[in-house]
Amino acid sequence: MTVTIGRRELLVALGGAAAAWPLAARAQQPAMPAIGVLSPRSPAVDVPLIAVIRQGLNDTGFFEGRNVTLDYRWADGQYDRLTALAADLVRRQVAVIVAPGGEISALAAKTATATIPIVYMGGTDPVRSGLVPSLNRPGGNITGVTSFIFDLEPKRLGLLRELRPNAATIAVLVNPGSLNAEIQVNDIQTAARSLGQQIDILNAGTIRDIDAAFARLAQMRADALLVAGDPIFFNRASQLVVLATRHAIPALYSRREFVAVGGLMSYGANSDETYRTAGVYAGRILKGEKPGDLPIQLPTKFELVINLSTARALGLDVPATLLARADEVIE
């Protein structure tokens, strides 16, 4: 039996088949890998840093929305939310978890999974903090970059004393809830004793605590302020800079971002280098490398940044020796 199909019927049949082809092709394409981003900070703070992580991914051939997706989770400064946020990323079966914002987010991710690779961006020695057993071969499912942001507190105290050599008292703002708080305070106290410098520790773990700490700062008449490195303080950079300006207190911070919004001075690792490296590591893991075989990367450059406009507003003459060593001077 011969079946005759007219031209119209043939075109309709072909059209239907053609419409089905892309659907079938799409069905056969593998799903894009997802990278979970677990941050203790807020989206507003992290936006420029996430852009640098994307640059690192781009360097390894991964582009958000094209061949990889990024799934974001922010704790907005509420550390107790990190565990649940990490568990949510694990349930979504992301291929890699990128954990900026220090060891606290890395530890939350580590608690949630022993199999999904974790790339963290920390601020202290990860061996000293117990995150990994070795810098060269971290083993397990964790690797990343450390900026030693917390281990530089003695150096920052020395710089602040160089700025205010006659300071009777230097106040130190610390988050008592930080995993690194005890180490930070001990290191600063040891450095203060060697310098013969009187210090006063101010504790602040919430927005309300920060306001109360500055109220106390005004009462104690401190000559300068050292803001210890902590994700909560980075999340409230603008608030801290405004309060320091209002109280006319010379303050030194852990990151350039504080100085960019009007802070006086900072000393720390280059943030762009840290975050781009984390993006590169995430891309390498997506290509099949094991996190435990990737060495913890260390900073290659520490930056001293000074805001001369803020110094003038405070009536400070920045010593020529400090200006000469500055990597960046903001006019």
Side-chain angles (χ1 to χ4, degrees), residues 26-321:
R26 284 197 296 270
Q28 294 173 4
Q29 291 176 355
M32 284 191 291
I35 295 176
V37 179
L38 178 67
S39 173
R41 301 183 296 244
S42 67
V45 171
D46 271 345
V47 162
L49 300 174
I50 297 298
V52 181
I53 291 176
R54 289 196 197 99
Q55 290 174 12
L57 283 167
N58 297 167
D59 291 344
T60 58
F62 290 97
F63 297 84
E64 186 178 11
R66 187 187 306 175
N67 57 357
V68 70
T69 61
L70 271 67
D71 201 349
Y72 304 95
R73 296 292 183 276
W74 283 286
D76 290 312
Q78 300 176 51
Y79 289 177
D80 57 355
R81 295 181 57 202
L82 285 168
T83 300
L85 294 174
D88 185 44
L89 288 174
V90 172
R91 282 193 297 270
R92 295 181 68 84
Q93 298 182 335
V94 296
V96 181
I97 296 176
V98 173
E103 282 71 13
I104 191 163
S105 52
L107 287 170
K110 183 179 181 181
T111 299
T113 178
T115 56
I116 296 175
I118 299 166
V119 179
Y120 92 104
M121 282 136 281
T124 191
D125 182 343
V127 177
R128 184 181 182 185
S129 66
L131 188 61
V132 296
S134 167
L135 292 176
N136 291 330
R137 292 187 66 84
N141 64 323
I142 299 180
T143 188
V145 191
T146 181
S147 62
F148 286 110
I149 198 170
F150 301 120
D151 297 273
L152 295 173
E153 305 301 359
K155 173 70 173 179
R156 294 190 188 101
L157 182 64
L159 289 169
L160 198 51
R161 184 177 167 87
E162 191 173 342
L163 178 71
R164 299 301 303 272
N166 298 319
T169 301
I170 293 177
V172 181
L173 187 66
V174 176
N175 173 18
S178 169
L179 296 173
N180 302 286
E182 185 177 353
I183 294 173
Q184 286 175 302
V185 171
N186 288 339
D187 287 351
I188 293 170
Q189 288 176 334
T190 299
R193 284 193 294 269
S194 68
L195 293 170
Q197 176 64 59
Q198 175 68 37
I199 62 170
D200 197 335
I201 304 296
L202 300 174
N203 290 317
T206 66
I207 297 173
R208 184 177 297 177
D209 289 344
I210 291 173
D211 288 328
F214 272 87
R216 183 184 165 195
L217 187 66
Q219 296 172 353
M220 61 189 287
R221 300 179 180 276
D223 298 292
L225 172 67
L226 173 61
V227 178
D230 190 84
I232 281 183
F233 298 152
F234 186 49
N235 206 42
R236 306 302 304 179
S238 295
Q239 178 191 7
L240 286 164
V241 168
V242 167
L243 286 168
T245 301
R246 183 182 302 163
H247 291 277
I249 183 81
L252 190 146
Y253 308 90
S254 60
R255 301 175 65 142
R256 180 193 180 279
E257 287 84 352
F258 287 91
V259 184
V261 295
L264 174 62
M265 193 161 69
S266 69
Y267 182 75
N270 182 285
S271 296
D272 284 358
E273 178 188 41
T274 298
Y275 282 76
R276 192 194 70 79
T277 301
V280 169
Y281 261 16
R284 289 174 62 178
I285 290 170
L286 288 179
K287 288 184 174 182
E289 294 191 58
K290 296 179 180 178
D293 294 336
L294 297 174
I296 302 294
Q297 292 293 310
L298 308 180
T300 60
K301 183 179 181 181
F302 295 97
E303 299 178 321
L304 173 62
V305 184
I306 299 172
N307 191 320
L308 276 185
S309 296
T310 301
R312 285 192 288 267
L314 292 169
L316 285 175
D317 290 324
V318 179
T321 52

